[in-house]
Amino acid sequence: PGGFPGGGMGGFGGGFGMNAEYDPTTSRNDVEFTSSNLPVIIIQTESKTLTNKEKSAGTMKVIANASGRNRVTDPANGYDGKIKIKLRGNSSLFFDQKRFTLETVTAEGKANDVELLGMPADNDWVLLAPYNDISMMRDAFAFDMWNNMGHWAPRTRYCEVIMNGKYIGVYTL
């Protein structure tokens, strides 16, 4: 078997279809994060550990002040409500900085289309981690370039993410 959990034929292929878990409170990142010029997304999950198989309930608060500086202590002004969240990816499940799929939902748990950070209303969202991209811009640049060529591509916004009280990094929504 390959050198990755789940075995396989080597490379990252051994991870496909495997079960993965993530607990952000065990992160080795000890950054004391208080504010940013980027929007701040604060996620609190009901389940301490997230998996790639089923969504966990939680809440999300989006802080995006027009004045530019966004503090963790500021009130939510972009979204403040319920979500369902899970790990996203296959080979990226092995990265230290995880990717997430999240769904904005009503108090009853039904899909809730909302606008986030100036993007059109929807209920399915992705938080891409630029873990293996030191420039932190390849995905956003490629999407923007493809869109400018006249094709459909997802819109993106950079943000800082805190999950369960722990800063987990810069992400692309």
Side-chain angles (χ1 to χ4, degrees), residues 22-42:
Y22 172 66
D23 177 358
T25 61
T26 63
S27 168
R28 292 175 290 204
N29 184 357
D30 291 328
V31 172
E32 187 171 328
F33 178 80
T34 58
S35 68
S36 175
N37 288 333
L38 293 174
V40 175
I41 296 179
I42 301 172

Side-chain angles (χ1 to χ4, degrees), residues 1 11 73 144:
T73 55
D144 189 51

Side-chain angles (χ1 to χ4, degrees), residues 46-61:
E46 291 178 12
S47 172
K48 183 177 173 185
T49 303
L50 299 178
T51 72
N52 64 328
K53 296 299 178 190
E54 64 182 74
K55 292 180 181 173
S56 296
T59 59
M60 181 173 72
K61 174 175 151 178

